[in-house]
Amino acid sequence: MSPHVLAVHRSSSHSFSKFEEHSIRLVEGLGVDGDAHAGKTVQHRSRVARDPSAPNLRQVHLLQAELFDQLVQRDHAVFPGDLGENVTTRGIDLLALPRGTVLQLGKTAQVELTGLRNPCSQLDRFQPGLSGNVLERDANGALIRKAGVMAVVRQGGTVRRDDPIVVRMPQGPHHPLQPV
């Protein structure tokens, strides 16, 4: 299956879940037009409290739909938009991509991956036990965060359901995604 956009979401409030839209417009250097998390500087409340002048490395949240498939098998009814992502993907292992990877979404929009979403206590308020199911340990005991990846908008454009995703790997050495 070719990598593609399964659904797109936004919310003008700092709510946990986001609403499905027919399309979203990405704005270069800002994020999703009309979304509460769009901005050049941090917009997530916890990060604003720490340093409101810090650059916003979390302009767009992408999450692979394959996580929902796993969660449903673990008795968590979670669907696109429920976990606050702007773009739900299918057919691409977002977590395996290195920092600096550029994803072209549709005809013109491009986002650059900055890091991992660090699961927080809001997950368990949404559904008890959910945070434990988006965190795992590998064979060496290292923590695996599966709650999606964060990105900044490098080129604006409109993104819609079923848009293709083109992956452009960064030049030079590849660095794994870390929480941002």
Side-chain angles (χ1 to χ4, degrees), residues 93-103 111-116 149-150 167-178:
D93 186 357
L94 296 171
L95 304 176
L97 297 172
R99 186 177 71 233
T101 298
V102 173
L103 301 178
V111 298
E112 180 180 330
L113 301 188
T114 57
L116 298 169
V149 300
M150 307 307 288
V167 178
R168 293 191 179 95
M169 300 296 273
Q171 299 273 331
H174 292 177
H175 302 283
L177 295 170
Q178 299 296 320

Side-chain angles (χ1 to χ4, degrees), residues 41-164:
T41 58
V42 292
Q43 299 298 310
H44 290 76
R45 290 179 177 165
S46 62
R47 285 166 173 66
V48 169
R50 280 187 247 153
D51 180 3
S53 66
N56 187 3
L57 301 177
R58 300 166 55 104
Q59 294 174 358
V60 181
H61 176 199
L62 299 99
L63 197 143
Q64 54 201 43
E66 290 79 1
L67 175 63
F68 299 128
D69 302 339
Q70 295 171 9
L71 293 173
V72 166
Q73 292 176 356
R74 295 176 182 174
D75 294 326
H76 287 286
V78 182
F79 303 97
D82 283 352
L83 300 184
E85 77 275 11
N86 300 110
V87 179
T88 309
T89 66
R90 172 84 59 195
I92 182 172
D93 186 357
L94 296 171
L95 304 176
L97 297 172
R99 186 177 71 233
T101 298
V102 173
L103 301 178
Q104 181 172 321
L105 308 170
K107 292 180 181 177
T108 61
Q110 293 181 22
V111 298
E112 180 180 330
L113 301 188
T114 57
L116 298 169
R117 177 185 181 195
N118 199 22
C120 64
S121 61
Q122 289 182 338
L123 290 169
D124 285 334
R125 285 195 296 268
F126 180 71
Q127 282 188 24
L130 185 58
S131 65
N133 284 294
V134 297
L135 293 169
E136 290 183 356
R137 298 233 175 236
D138 67 15
N140 297 321
L143 193 60
I144 300 171
R145 294 166 175 87
K146 301 188 303 181
V149 300
M150 307 307 288
V152 294
V153 181
R154 290 295 177 223
Q155 182 173 312
T158 300
V159 182
R160 295 177 177 82
R161 169 188 280 265
D162 296 326
D163 274 350

